[in-house]
Amino acid sequence: MEDCLFCKIIKGEIPSNKVYEDEYVYAFKDIEPVAPVHVLIVPKKHISSLNEVSEEDEVLLGKIFIAIKKIAKELGVESKGYRVINNCGKDAGQTVMHLHFHLIAGTKMGEKLL
Ligand code: AMP
Ligand code: ZN
């Protein structure tokens, strides 16, 4: 999608620090990390948010989570633990309207909403 920051990153039009890529998924380091490990996992298909996911994205969503698991292993945080976060919409603080999941690790996280 034109004018979408993450679509431009996926296409290589805007530089990123890539950590993983496959047919469905692109993952790169967050530009403003909140922890020693902070990776964004995005589908190559433009989907604005979790609200716009449809039945046809069933396989894609599975691929995203398989990728997250692989990245956690590759980055060596698999056994110590990590958090996966999706912000959907205004109240959650979503700032980029291209579905993405934050993989956060490498520190003991204290604050929990749930
Ligand atoms: P969210 O607030 O859930 O929409 O997350 C958007 C994330 O994208 C934030 O954590 C930003 O730091 C990150 N971000 C914004 N621009 C870039 C960029 N050019 N490269 C990497 N991460 C970015
Ligand atoms: Zn996009």
Side-chain angles (χ1 to χ4, degrees):
M1 195 201 182
E2 274 176 42
D3 280 346
C4 168
L5 175 66
F6 287 175
C7 282
K8 286 182 179 164
I9 285 178
I10 292 161
K11 283 189 267 178
E13 292 171 8
I14 290 176
S16 67
N17 229 315
K18 181 169 94 170
V19 297
Y20 176 88
E21 183 175 14
D22 65 28
E23 189 186 341
Y24 297 88
V25 172
Y26 189 84
F28 53 101
K29 289 188 183 171
D30 196 292
I31 205 165
E32 284 184 56
V34 299
V37 172
H38 187 170
V39 174
L40 298 174
I41 297 91
V42 309
K44 287 186 172 174
K45 174 183 176 185
H46 179 87
I47 301 172
S48 307
S49 79
L50 204 49
N51 282 339
E52 279 71 43
V53 162
S54 67
E55 293 292 327
E56 71 175 34
D57 300 316
E58 211 174 88
V59 170
L60 177 60
L61 289 172
K63 298 285 183 186
I64 290 171
F65 277 89
I66 299 287
I68 290 172
K69 184 199 94 162
K70 284 182 187 166
I71 293 163
K73 189 172 183 185
E74 271 170 28
L75 297 180
V77 298
E78 174 195 42
S79 60
K80 281 196 117 180
Y82 53 91
R83 239 176 232 177
V84 179
I85 296 167
N86 169 254
N87 296 319
C88 180
K90 253 193 314 196
D91 277 3
Q94 183 178 4
T95 57
V96 179
M97 295 309 286
H98 180 128
L99 179 67
H100 56 278
F101 295 84
H102 299 255
L103 166 59
I104 292 163
T107 184
K108 183 100 180 95
M109 287 166 266
E111 209 178 309
K112 276 178 95 178
L113 287 176
L114 291 171

